């Protein structure tokens, strides 16, 4: 659906014209999984697809929410905020609550959302709804906050209002993305650099398992707890705030303090994954795509064996992709337990790859995979 059609839909639903439109992308993470809340590095990119938000002010203090691709419409006011609704409006409402707590008036809007990110695919559809709402409120309430502040507000909304204890990577990538660049972000300090994606002759292909992610949020929160428990054990002999403050040598020395063997595996992943991001940044800077591809494969193995956040569907996709002609590397991307893989592949092998992987995946899992050749776009912005 294009902006013109969205405007028409807005007029149909609300009986008047939209005054402004905003956009926030989805994201794909190239490497550095489950390192953000461990104070490590990540390497995400913003995608060209995402969430559109059209808006016009109203006379009263109600907010009316509609969506082109989600089922229900809602009317909310300041009282609704206290009820923590379970539907999709929890994402915009969480952000509104944060703005309200900062003293801004967030009521009196007609809103229409439209997203073309597959939901629950680990491509940050929720961060995209949060950030598009934050960018809109920033403009309409004249709050004038900078993008990193909007990123933090959106992460807080997700942690506290939605109840998903995510790190900062998704909101940061969605807010701060840049066309044809990855963001090398240090999640402990929020220092970042844009890394040009010089992958001429290659493509990044995102493959969706189309597997429902089930209890992903509770399993995610459990992984965070296991990492925190590992830190407590290590801190008895070596003071650290985050697991990724250790390199592999430090981990050999102090990791033995971790009492629970499962927590040891989790910490091992966090430490090794962070080192892989450091090596990936070097490899991408020097155009060494072969090394980067190998690091992607190792990342998947570590997420499968040590962090245990993959599933049969993700493993089938990643491992079959790794064996395919022209592929330099393939790994799960995002939180895991379903969602997508990302594959770095020679451009002229993409069609053959899609045909082959579709067939094998269907045979092995009974599911249909979907494929997207990633287009790396800009972060969130106003359209008009
Ligand atoms: C989800 C979270 C992120 C990050 C990834 C795993 O996408 O929202 O903060 O932890 O999982 O890397």
């Amino acid at each position: 659906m294009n902006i013109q059609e969205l405007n028409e839909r807005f007029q149909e639903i609300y009986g008047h014209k939209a005054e402004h439109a905003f956009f926030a992308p989805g994201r794909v993470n190239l490497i550095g999984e489950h390192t953000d809340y461990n104070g490590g590095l990540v390497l995400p990119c913003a995608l060209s697809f995402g969430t559109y938000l059209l808006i016009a002010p109203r006379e009263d203090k109600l907010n009316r929410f509609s969506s082109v691709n989600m089922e229900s419409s809602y009317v909310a006011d300041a009282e609704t905020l206290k009820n923590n609704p379970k539907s999709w409006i929890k994402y915009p409402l969480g952000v509104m609550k944060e703005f309200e707590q900062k003293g801004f008036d967030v009521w009196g809007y007609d809103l229409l959302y439209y997203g073309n990110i597959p939901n629950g695919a680990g491509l940050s559809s929720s961060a995209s709804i949060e950030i598009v709402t934050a960018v809109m409120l920033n403009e309409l309430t004249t709050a004038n906050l900078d993008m990193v502040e909007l990123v933090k507000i959106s992460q807080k909304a997700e942690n506290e209002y939605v109840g998903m204890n995510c790190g900062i990577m998704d909101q940061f990538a969605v807010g701060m993305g840049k066309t044809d660049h990855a963001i090398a972000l240090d999640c402990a300090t929020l220092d970042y650099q844009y890394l040009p994606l010089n992958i001429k002759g290659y493509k990044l292909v995102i493959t969706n398992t189309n597997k429902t992610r089930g209890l992903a949020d509770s399993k995610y929160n459990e992984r965070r707890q296991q990492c925190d428990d590992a830190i407590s054990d290590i801190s008895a002999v070596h003071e650290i705030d985050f697991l990724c403050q250790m390199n592999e040598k430090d981990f050999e020395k102090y990791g033995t303090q971790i009492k629970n063997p499962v927590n040891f595996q989790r910490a091992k992943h966090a430490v090794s994954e962070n080192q892989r991001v450091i090596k990936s940044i070097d490899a991408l800077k020097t155009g060494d795509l072969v090394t980067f591809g190998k690091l992607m494969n190792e990342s998947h193995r570590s997420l499968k064996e040590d962090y245990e956040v993959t599933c049969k569907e993700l493993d089938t996709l990643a491992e079959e992709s790794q064996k395919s002609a022209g592929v330099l590397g393939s790994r799960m991307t995002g939180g895991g337990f379903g969602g997508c893989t990302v594959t770095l592949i020679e451009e002229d092998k993409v069609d053959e790859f899609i045909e082959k992987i579709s067939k094998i995946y269907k045979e092995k899992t009974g599911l249909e995979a979907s494929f997207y050749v990633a287009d790396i776009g800009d972060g969130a912005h106003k359209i008009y």
Side-chain angles (χ1 to χ4, degrees):
M1 202 172 245
N2 61 31
I3 283 286
Q4 168 73 22
E5 290 164 332
L6 278 175
N7 269 305
E8 285 163 16
R9 184 62 75 86
F10 191 97
Q11 175 84 39
E12 261 167 50
I13 296 173
Y14 295 119
H16 56 99
K17 277 200 166 69
E19 286 190 10
H20 301 286
F22 299 85
F23 172 75
R27 69 95 189 89
V28 60
N29 188 23
L30 300 185
I31 195 160
E33 225 62 84
H34 292 274
T35 45
D36 59 351
Y37 54 84
N38 282 311
L41 294 157
V42 291
L43 202 57
C45 308
L47 294 167
S48 57
F49 47 70
T51 310
Y52 294 82
L53 169 57
L54 269 62
I55 182 156
R58 298 167 48 82
E59 297 285 298
D60 54 22
K61 287 288 170 202
L62 295 177
N63 283 355
R64 293 195 290 180
F65 295 87
S66 301
S67 163
V68 174
N69 55 305
M70 318 253 214
E71 275 157 26
S72 314
S73 297
Y74 300 90
V75 179
D77 61 12
E79 273 303 296
T80 320
L81 269 188
K82 297 179 191 142
N83 304 334
N84 270 43
K86 292 277 167 277
S87 71
W88 64 269
I89 60 161
K90 66 190 171 193
Y91 300 107
L93 278 185
V95 175
M96 285 170 183
K97 187 171 182 185
E98 289 301 319
F99 270 80
E100 192 169 63
Q101 279 170 355
K102 287 184 182 291
F104 299 107
D105 181 5
V106 300
W107 303 104
Y109 297 118
D110 284 332
L111 305 118
L112 176 64
Y113 288 83
Y114 166 61
N116 53 11
I117 310 173
N119 286 336
L123 301 176
S124 291
S125 51
S126 23
S128 174
I129 299 178
E130 289 154 7
I131 293 279
V132 81
T133 307
V135 171
M136 176 279 291
L137 287 175
N138 196 38
E139 168 101 9
L140 273 72
T141 65
T142 62
N144 234 343
L145 304 170
D146 66 26
M147 187 61 90
V148 174
E149 202 51 45
L150 301 180
V151 163
K152 289 182 189 163
I153 285 176
S154 301
Q155 184 203 10
K156 193 157 174 247
E158 175 118 14
N159 291 166
E160 293 177 8
Y161 199 75
V162 177
M164 157 72 173
N165 210 5
C166 65
I168 202 159
M169 170 173 75
D170 300 350
Q171 289 79 6
F172 201 97
V174 167
M176 300 290 290
K178 184 170 164 177
T179 298
D180 292 335
H181 287 72
I183 311 174
L185 170 68
D186 180 334
C187 299
T189 59
L190 296 193
D191 288 342
Y192 65 94
Q193 51 172 311
Y194 290 114
L195 218 63
L197 267 186
N198 293 325
I199 57 168
K200 208 165 176 289
Y202 290 83
K203 288 283 175 196
L204 289 163
V205 176
I206 297 171
T207 312
N208 191 347
T209 58
N210 287 317
K211 170 172 185 239
T212 336
R213 288 167 78 220
L215 296 169
D217 287 6
S218 59
K219 289 185 197 155
Y220 182 95
N221 290 347
E222 179 191 273
R223 294 297 181 282
R224 285 202 70 155
Q225 188 57 50
Q226 290 166 333
C227 291
D228 287 347
D229 292 347
I231 292 176
S232 302
D233 288 350
I234 290 173
S235 288
V237 294
H238 177 63
E239 195 59 44
I240 49 166
D241 296 319
F242 298 115
L243 288 173
C244 294
Q245 277 169 287
M246 291 184 289
N247 60 26
E248 276 147 333
K249 273 221 160 75
D250 299 328
F251 190 66
E252 257 173 43
K253 200 158 152 201
Y254 302 116
T256 48
Q257 292 297 319
I258 303 171
K259 297 185 196 93
N260 180 320
V262 173
N263 295 351
F264 176 87
Q265 295 292 111
R266 305 300 187 241
K268 184 175 162 226
H269 165 75
V271 171
S272 67
E273 181 77 351
N274 194 46
Q275 297 304 308
R276 281 187 285 275
V277 187
I278 295 172
K279 290 178 196 150
S280 295
I281 294 171
D282 284 346
L284 284 175
K285 278 184 177 164
T286 56
D288 184 356
L289 296 184
V290 170
T291 298
F292 176 56
K294 285 186 185 145
L295 292 161
M296 291 174 83
N297 295 347
E298 282 169 31
S299 166
H300 186 85
R301 195 207 44 74
S302 175
L303 288 156
K304 176 184 176 183
E305 291 170 10
D306 291 339
Y307 220 64
E308 296 181 283
V309 290
T310 64
C311 54
K312 181 183 173 209
E313 291 78 4
L314 281 170
D315 294 337
T316 303
L317 280 184
E319 288 160 10
E320 291 298 334
S321 301
Q322 288 167 11
K323 287 189 263 173
S324 291
V327 169
L328 294 185
S330 184
R331 57 180 289 278
M332 59 153 269
T333 182
F337 308 108
C340 294
T341 56
V342 56
T343 303
L344 179 63
I345 176 174
E346 268 172 45
E347 189 166 4
D348 50 17
K349 294 286 193 311
V350 170
D351 291 343
E352 189 187 312
F353 169 80
I354 293 178
E355 198 179 315
K356 181 187 152 201
I357 297 295
S358 304
K359 194 161 165 280
I360 299 182
Y361 183 67
K362 181 79 196 273
E363 276 165 18
K364 294 207 165 175
T365 66
L367 295 172
E368 301 279 350
S370 348
F371 298 83
Y372 319 88
V373 177
D375 217 352
I376 307 306
D378 277 328
H381 54 268
K382 188 178 179 183
I383 301 174
Y384 66 84

